[in-house]
C-alpha cells in the first residue's frame, strides 16, 4: 500500500491547489501519489482503491461543488462495497456559511456507510482565516495522516515478509544450531512478525521485556492448540496464571529464600568436592554431566528430601518429555514424551510413597503434610515434585557447560572469576545471556493487543525467542560477543524468564553455578575442550549430550 490516490472535487480551484500540495508532499515520503479530479474517477476505481485522500470544498448551502457532485451521485446509486478502502479527508469551507464544511462530511459519511475506513481526523480549511489552504493541508498531512500511514506501512511490510516461512525455519537443523543469522535478518525488517494466521514472533528486547510480563499475556494454551502430554503439569506454575499461579508458587517459595539457598548449596559443594577429589588434572571429564548435572541434581534431591536416584535417566527424562514442546515435533515424539512422563511420574510417586513409611524434612515431606491436612491435593504434590526432581539440573548444568566453553576460549575470564568475586555475577549473567537453555517463551494474549504497531488478536500464540531478545543490537553493543564488563543494568536478559513466570529456581541455580565455577577457578587455571561438544537441540530446548573437557 505505497500508492496513495489524491482525489479532489472543486468549484473554483482551491481544492485542486490543495490536492496538488498533498501529492507534492507525498512525493518526498516513501509513498507515491496519483492525483485526479473526481469526475475522472469511476465507481470501480473507488472499489479497487486501497488508500485515498479525498479533498472537497463546500458550495451552495452546504452542498457539493460541481466536480464532487457527479462522483457522489454515482456512488450513492451503485453503492459498491468499499471495505477494502482506507481514506483520509480534507474539506475547504467558510465559517460564515451556516453549513460549514458540510460537503466533506457528506462524502465521508457515504464512504464509511459503504464500508470504507477513515484514518485520522478530517482536515479543514476555513477561508475566513485567510490562511493558505495548501499550507494548512500540508500541515494536516504531515502531523495527522503520515504517522498513521507509516505505522500501517510497517505493519503491512511485516505481515508480507513474515508470512514467508523462511524467516523462522524452526525445524531446520542449521537454524536450530545457530538461529542468529535468521533472527538478525528478521529483526532488520521489524521487531514483531506474524508467521501464520495465529502465530507471532517478537524479537525486540524492549517489546519482549514489556509484553512477556503483561498480565493479559496468559501462559495457558487456548483450545486451538492440540492437546499434548505436557498437560500432565496442569497443576503447577508451568500451566497456571495468577491467582492460581500465586497459590502454586507459594507452596515452595519459602524454601528458596536467599538464606536457605546458602544452606542448600552446601550439597553442591560437597558433591563437587567428591567429584574433584577423584579427578587428576588433565583427565577428560564431562563438563556438562559430571560438573553440571550431578552436583545440581544432587542439590535439588536434597532440598526435596529424595535420594539422588539414577541421575542420568532422570536428567534425560525431562529432556525427552519436552521434545513434544517443539514447534513441529517429529511423529515419534508424542510416544517418547508420554513414555518419559510416565517414567518421571512413576518414579516420583514411588518416592513419595516411600516417604509415608520413612518421613524426612524435605520439601516433599512438607507438601505431603499439607495434602494430609487437606490444603492441597495429592495430585498437586505429585506434579510439583516431579517438576522439581527433574528440573533441578537442566538449566544450571547447561550454563555450567557453556561457562566452561567460555573459560576455554577466554582463560582470562576464569582468572577473573577466581580473583575478582565482584565480577562473578556479571560473568554468570553474560554466560546466561548468550546461552539460554529454554529457547522460546510462548504466551497467549487474552485480549487483542498491539506490539510495535502489529495487531495481535486475543488467543494468538506469541513466541519470544529468548536468544534473539538477548542479542538485540539496540540494547547490546556487539551482541554476539562475550563481554562481562557490560554494566549489569544494561545486560538484563530473558534467559531465566521475567515477571510472574520467571524461573522459580533461578536464585538457587545462580548460587549452584557460582559454587561450581568458584571451585573450578580456585583449583585450575586452564579449561580445555577435549573434543567438540555435542549438543542436542530443538527449537525449544538445548542440552549437551557430550562435553569432554580437561581441567589443569
Ligand atoms: C457561493 C458560495 C457558497 C459557499 N457555500 C459554503 C458553505 O455552505 N459552507 C462552507 O463551509 N463554505 C462555503 N463556501 C466557501 C468555499 O467552500 C470556500 O471558498 C472554498 O475555499 C472554495 O473552494 P474551491 O475553490 O475548491 O471550490 C461557499 C463559497 C461560495 C463562493
Amino acid at each position: 500500500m505505497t500508492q496513495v490516490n489524491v482525489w479532489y472535487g472543486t468549484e473554483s480551484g482551491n481544492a485542486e491547489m490543495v490536492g496538488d500540495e498533498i501529492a507534492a508532499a507525498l512525493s518526498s515520503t516513501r509513498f507515491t501519489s496519483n492525483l485526479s479530479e473526481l469526475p475522472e474517477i469511476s465507481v470501480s476505481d473507488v472499489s479497487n482503491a486501497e488508500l485515498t485522500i479525498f479533498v472537497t470544498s463546500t458550495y451552495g448551502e452546504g452542498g457539493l461543488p460541481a466536480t464532487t457532485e457527479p462522483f457522489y451521485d454515482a456512488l450513492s446509486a451503485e453503492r459498491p462495497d468499499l471495505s477494502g478502502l482506507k481514506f483520509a479527508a480534507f474539506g475547504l469551507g467558510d465559517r460564515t456559511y451556516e453549513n460549514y464544511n458540510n460537503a466533506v462530511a457528506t462524502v465521508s459519511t457515504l464512504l464509511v456507510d459503504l464500508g470504507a475506513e477513515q484514518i485520522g481526523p478530517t482536515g479543514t480549511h476555513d477561508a475566513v482565516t485567510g490562511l493558505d489552504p495548501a499550507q494548512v493541508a500540508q500541515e494536516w498531512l504531515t502531523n495527522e495522516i503520515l504517522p498513521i500511514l507509516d505505522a500501517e506501512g510497517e505493519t503491512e511490510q511485516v505481515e508480507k515478509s513474515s508470512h514467508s516461512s523462511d524467516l523462522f525455519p524452526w525445524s531446520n537443523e542449521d537454524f536450530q544450531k545457530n538461529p542468529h543469522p535468521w533472527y538478525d535478518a528478521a529483526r532488520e525488517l521489524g521487531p514483531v512478525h506474524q508467521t501464520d494466521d495465529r502465530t507471532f514472533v517478537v524479537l525486540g528486547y524492549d517489546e519482549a521485556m514489556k509484553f512477556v510480563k503483561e498480565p493479559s499475556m496468559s501462559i495457558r494454551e487456548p483450545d486451538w492448540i492440540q492437546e499434548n502430554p505436557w498437560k500432565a503439569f496442569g497443576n503447577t506454575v508451568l500451566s497456571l496464571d495468577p491467582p492460581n499461579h500465586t497459590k502454586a508458587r507459594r507452596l515452595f517459595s519459602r524454601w528458596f529464600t536467599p538464606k536457605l539457598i546458602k544452606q542448600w548449596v552446601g550439597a553442591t559443594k560437597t558433591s563437587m568436592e567428591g567429584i574433584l577429589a577423584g579427578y587428576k588434572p588433565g583427565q577428560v571429564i564431562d563438563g556438562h554431566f559430571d560438573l553440571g548435572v550431578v552436583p545440581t541434581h544432587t542439590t535439588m534431591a536434597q532440598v526435596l528430601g529424595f535420594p539422588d536416584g539414577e541421575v542420568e535417566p532422570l536428567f534425560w527424562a525431562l529432556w525427552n518429555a519436552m521434545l513434544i514442546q517443539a514447534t513441529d515435533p517429529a511423529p515419534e515424539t508424542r510416544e517418547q514424551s508420554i513414555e518419559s512422563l510416565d517414567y518421571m511420574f512413576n518414579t516420583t510417586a514411588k518416592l513419595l510413597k516411600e516417604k509415608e513409611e520413612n518421613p524426612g524434612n524435605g520439601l516433599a515431606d512438607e507438601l505431603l503434610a499439607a495434602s494430609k491436612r487437606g490444603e492441597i491435593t495429592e495430585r498437586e504434590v505429585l506434579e510439583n515434585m516431579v517438576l522439581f526432581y527433574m528440573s533441578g539440573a537442566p538449566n544450571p548444568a547447561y550454563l555450567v557447560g557453556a561457562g566452561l566453553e567460555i573459560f576455554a576460549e577466554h582463560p582470562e575470564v576464569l582468572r577473573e572469576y577466581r580473583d575478582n568475586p565482584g565480577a562473578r555475577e556479571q560473568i554468570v549473567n553474560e554466560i546466561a545471556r548468550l546461552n539460554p537453555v529454554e529457547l522460546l517463551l510462548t504466551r497467549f494474549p487474552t485480549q487483542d493487543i498491539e506490539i510495535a504497531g502489529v495487531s495481535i488478536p486475543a488467543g494468538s500464540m506469541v513466541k519470544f525467542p529468548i536468544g534473539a531478545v538477548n542479542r538485540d543490537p539496540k540494547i547490546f553493543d556487539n551482541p554476539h560477543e562475550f563481554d562481562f564488563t557490560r554494566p549489569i543494568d544494561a545486560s538484563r536478559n530473558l534467559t531465566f524468564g521475567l515477571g510472574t513466570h520467571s524461573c522459580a529456581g533461578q536464585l538457587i541455580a545462580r548460587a549452584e553455578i557460582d559454587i561450581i565455577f568458584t571451585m573450578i577457578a580456585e583449583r585450575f587455571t586452564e579449561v580445555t575442550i577435549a573434543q567438540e561438544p555435542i549438543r542436542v537441540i530443538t527449537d525449544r530446548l538445548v542440552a549437551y549430550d557430550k562435553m569432554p573437557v580437561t581441567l589443569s
Side-chain angles (χ1 to χ4, degrees):
M1 209 196 280
T2 47
Q3 165 148 316
V4 185
N5 305 305
V6 182
W7 294 343
Y8 63 91
T10 182
E11 185 85 31
S12 52
N14 288 344
E16 184 177 1
M17 264 165 40
V18 165
D20 273 344
E21 177 64 32
I22 290 175
L26 284 169
S27 67
S28 62
T29 68
R30 65 186 182 83
F31 298 98
T32 56
S33 62
N34 178 15
L35 179 70
S36 304
E37 192 168 9
L38 282 172
E40 297 163 18
I41 303 301
S42 68
V43 171
S44 68
D45 290 335
V46 190
S47 40
N48 292 329
E50 291 182 358
L51 183 56
T52 300
I53 298 178
F54 287 92
V55 183
T56 182
S57 60
T58 297
Y59 256 77
E61 288 172 16
L64 305 172
T67 64
T68 303
E69 198 164 14
F71 168 82
Y72 180 88
D73 289 347
L75 271 193
S76 316
E78 290 192 36
R79 301 192 61 80
D81 173 14
L82 299 186
S83 50
L85 174 68
K86 292 188 176 178
F87 74 94
F90 188 91
L92 297 96
D94 181 330
R95 204 171 278 282
T96 56
Y97 289 89
E98 200 176 319
N99 296 303
Y100 171 62
N101 255 315
N102 202 45
V104 72
T106 307
V107 173
S108 301
T109 304
L110 175 63
L111 294 169
V112 168
D113 194 30
L114 297 176
E117 181 194 336
Q118 181 165 7
I119 54 172
T122 300
T124 50
H125 175 257
D126 179 1
V128 171
T129 61
L131 295 171
D132 173 10
Q135 167 105 28
V136 173
Q138 192 259 322
E139 281 166 15
W140 164 78
L141 179 77
T142 307
N143 299 330
E144 307 285 359
I145 305 303
L146 282 176
I148 301 174
L149 293 187
D150 279 334
E152 297 210 352
E154 272 165 30
T155 309
E156 195 199 28
Q157 195 186 2
V158 162
E159 278 168 2
K160 262 199 205 135
S161 57
S162 57
H163 269 85
S164 127
S165 60
D166 298 346
L167 272 190
F168 307 105
W170 304 111
S171 310
N172 173 309
E173 234 177 83
D174 292 335
F175 174 85
Q176 293 185 352
K177 267 193 201 142
N178 178 15
H180 297 292
W182 279 270
Y183 289 154
D184 289 346
R187 206 190 285 99
E188 291 271 300
L189 299 170
V192 183
H193 298 266
Q194 182 171 11
T195 53
D196 63 37
D197 287 354
R198 285 156 156 168
T199 311
F200 296 79
V201 179
V202 177
L203 303 167
Y205 178 94
D206 289 336
E207 292 78 7
M209 288 312 208
K210 173 157 186 251
F211 281 92
V212 163
K213 60 178 176 17
E214 275 282 294
S216 63
M217 298 293 268
S218 172
I219 200 160
R220 295 177 68 80
E221 295 183 345
D223 294 342
W224 63 269
I225 292 186
Q226 205 195 0
E227 276 272 319
N228 85 49
W230 202 248
K231 293 249 154 81
F233 292 112
N235 287 297
T236 69
V237 288
L238 293 187
S239 315
L240 297 169
D241 286 328
N244 293 338
H245 176 276
T246 319
K247 197 178 147 232
R249 194 150 171 158
R250 241 183 243 140
L251 291 178
F252 56 78
S253 50
R254 277 193 319 110
W255 285 68
F256 295 98
T257 58
K259 196 166 152 214
L260 277 176
I261 284 171
K262 275 207 184 114
Q263 187 183 318
W264 303 139
V265 295
T268 318
K269 195 164 177 223
T270 310
S271 171
M272 278 296 283
E273 274 164 355
I275 294 162
L276 295 177
Y279 179 76
K280 287 197 191 65
Q283 237 178 14
V284 175
I285 186 169
D286 193 302
H288 170 252
F289 189 80
D290 297 324
L291 301 173
V293 175
V294 172
T296 57
H297 172 80
T298 308
T299 306
M300 184 56 81
Q302 187 154 332
V303 175
L304 303 182
F306 282 166
D308 292 348
E310 303 172 291
V311 183
E312 194 161 358
L314 287 171
F315 175 82
W316 288 108
L318 183 71
W319 164 264
N320 285 323
M322 272 195 78
L323 288 174
I324 194 72
Q325 298 279 77
T327 301
D328 294 307
E332 68 278 8
T333 302
R334 200 179 171 80
E335 281 307 301
Q336 208 175 347
S337 177
I338 292 172
E339 215 175 277
S340 297
L341 284 161
D342 280 350
Y343 166 77
M344 288 152 69
F345 273 77
N346 291 337
T347 308
T348 310
K350 225 168 103 203
L351 292 175
L352 286 168
K353 197 140 188 54
E354 281 165 19
K355 284 222 153 276
E356 312 245 318
E357 278 130 50
N358 230 333
N361 53 6
L363 174 55
D365 298 283
E366 177 164 305
L367 294 193
L368 278 173
S371 92
K372 291 245 153 53
R373 294 192 300 270
E375 289 161 19
I376 50 171
T377 63
E378 283 180 15
R379 178 72 198 178
E380 284 174 298
V381 178
L382 177 61
E383 285 183 27
N384 274 286
M385 288 305 92
V386 174
L387 187 62
F388 275 84
Y389 196 36
M390 312 295 156
S391 66
N395 286 25
Y398 185 74
L399 293 178
V400 167
L404 292 175
E405 286 203 70
I406 303 264
F407 296 147
E409 206 180 320
H410 308 277
E412 74 283 3
V413 180
L414 183 61
R415 277 199 298 280
E416 186 76 12
Y417 209 95
R418 181 192 60 204
D419 299 340
N420 183 4
R424 290 176 185 168
E425 187 186 347
Q426 275 165 279
I427 294 175
V428 172
N429 201 55
E430 184 68 352
I431 294 170
R433 181 182 74 80
L434 290 175
N435 297 282
V437 191
E438 291 179 40
L439 304 176
L440 272 182
L441 292 180
T442 51
R443 295 286 186 273
F444 308 92
T446 53
Q447 61 195 49
D448 294 352
I449 54 164
E450 196 184 293
I451 309 183
V454 177
S455 303
I456 302 183
S460 307
M461 178 193 274
V462 183
K463 292 180 171 186
F464 298 90
I466 297 173
V469 172
N470 286 359
R471 297 182 185 208
D472 184 339
K474 253 174 82 181
I475 306 296
F476 306 102
D477 295 337
N478 301 319
H480 303 299
E481 301 289 307
F482 179 86
D483 174 7
F484 71 87
T485 65
R486 295 173 199 279
I488 197 99
D489 277 352
S491 61
R492 255 184 266 283
N493 59 74
L494 257 196
T495 293
F496 286 104
L498 189 73
T500 317
H501 289 288
S502 62
C503 171
Q506 83 164 282
L507 288 183
I508 190 166
R510 286 181 192 273
E512 290 166 335
I513 293 166
D514 183 44
I515 294 268
I516 294 168
F517 285 165
T518 305
M519 290 176 77
I520 292 173
E522 280 169 351
R523 289 165 176 74
F524 306 98
T525 51
E526 221 177 282
V527 176
T528 312
I529 302 294
Q531 238 179 66
E532 185 64 22
I534 301 173
R535 286 174 162 85
V536 275
I537 315 174
T538 71
D539 60 349
R540 288 299 288 257
L541 195 62
V542 57
Y544 288 95
D545 188 11
K546 296 261 172 314
M547 214 230 152
V549 295
T550 62
L551 310 174
S552 50

